[in-house]
Amino acid sequence: MTKTKNEIVFTLSEPLEYHAAGQIVYANEVVLKAPSNKQRNEAAKLKQGFFRAIKAMADNKGTVKTEIDDAPKSDETISGSEVVSVIMMSNIDLCDYQESFRLLLLNDACFVDGVKMTAPMFDKLSDSDTEKMMGEYIASFLLASHLQKMQTK
C-alpha cells in the first residue's frame, strides 16, 4: 500500500479577502484536504478527465508525446503545472473540468484559516491561483497513487 499525504498547504500568490466576525481578513494560504468518499463524484470526474486527456494525446503506439516526456525524472512525479498543461492541450472541456474542481473544494476539501471555503471565498480567488491549485490538488491527491503503480509495471 502506498502512503499519500492527507493535506497540503497551498500558498496563494494573491491574498484572499473574506469576512470573519464582522472584520475583513486576508488569507495567504489555504489547506487542501485529500478527497474522501464525500467528494468521490467530483474526484472521479477530475481523475477520469485527466486520464482521458492522456489517452487522447497518445499516438497509435500508446505513448504520450508531451513536454512531460522530456522532463527530468528525478522523483518520477508529475507537477501541478504539467497536469494543467495536459488538460489544456486536450479536448477536455476546461469549463466543466474547473467546475468539478470548484464543487470538490466547496464540498469540505478546502479550508481557509480553519474555516470551510465558501462560494463567495472561491469567487474571490485569482484565476491563476485557482489553476495552480487545481493542478497541485490533482497531482498530489488524485494521480499520485496511480502514477506510482504505473511506474512499477
Side-chain angles (χ1 to χ4, degrees):
M1 179 180 235
T2 304
K3 178 86 172 151
T4 57
K5 301 179 256 184
N6 290 329
E7 70 180 38
I8 56 175
V9 177
F10 182 86
T11 303
L12 301 168
S13 60
E14 297 179 31
L16 173 62
E17 177 187 307
Y18 68 100
H19 296 276
Q23 300 292 319
I24 295 177
V25 182
Y26 295 91
N28 294 309
E29 298 175 334
V30 296
V31 176
L32 303 173
K33 303 277 187 175
S36 68
N37 275 331
K38 184 173 184 176
Q39 299 92 12
R40 70 185 172 277
N41 290 332
E42 298 91 350
K45 287 178 184 177
L46 295 171
K47 197 181 308 183
Q48 186 178 50
F50 180 81
F51 283 106
R52 283 183 176 169
I54 290 288
K55 183 178 183 230
M57 295 170 63
D59 64 20
N60 292 336
K61 295 178 187 171
T63 58
V64 178
K65 295 180 180 177
T66 68
E67 72 270 13
I68 295 170
D69 294 333
D70 300 327
K73 302 293 184 193
S74 60
D75 61 359
E76 295 294 330
T77 60
I78 187 170
S79 72
S81 62
E82 290 170 330
V83 168
V84 172
S85 293
V86 168
I87 295 300
M88 288 189 171
M89 290 187 298
S90 75
N91 61 354
I92 298 297
D93 185 321
L94 187 58
C95 294
D96 289 345
Y97 200 80
Q98 288 176 325
E99 179 62 11
S100 293
F101 180 64
R102 184 185 77 83
L103 292 173
L104 182 138
L105 292 185
L106 297 178
N107 192 10
D108 295 337
C110 184
F111 292 82
V112 181
D113 294 332
V115 176
K116 177 184 161 185
M117 178 172 275
T118 63
M121 286 178 182
F122 181 88
D123 291 344
K124 290 183 179 181
L125 288 170
S126 73
D127 186 58
S128 175
D129 277 334
T130 304
E131 187 178 289
K132 290 175 190 171
M133 197 181 333
M134 181 175 71
E136 291 303 321
Y137 190 94
I138 293 165
S140 297
F141 298 131
L142 304 181
L143 301 181
S145 62
H146 288 286
L147 293 176
Q148 288 170 353
K149 288 176 193 173
M150 291 168 66
Q151 290 170 10
T152 60
K153 291 184 179 182

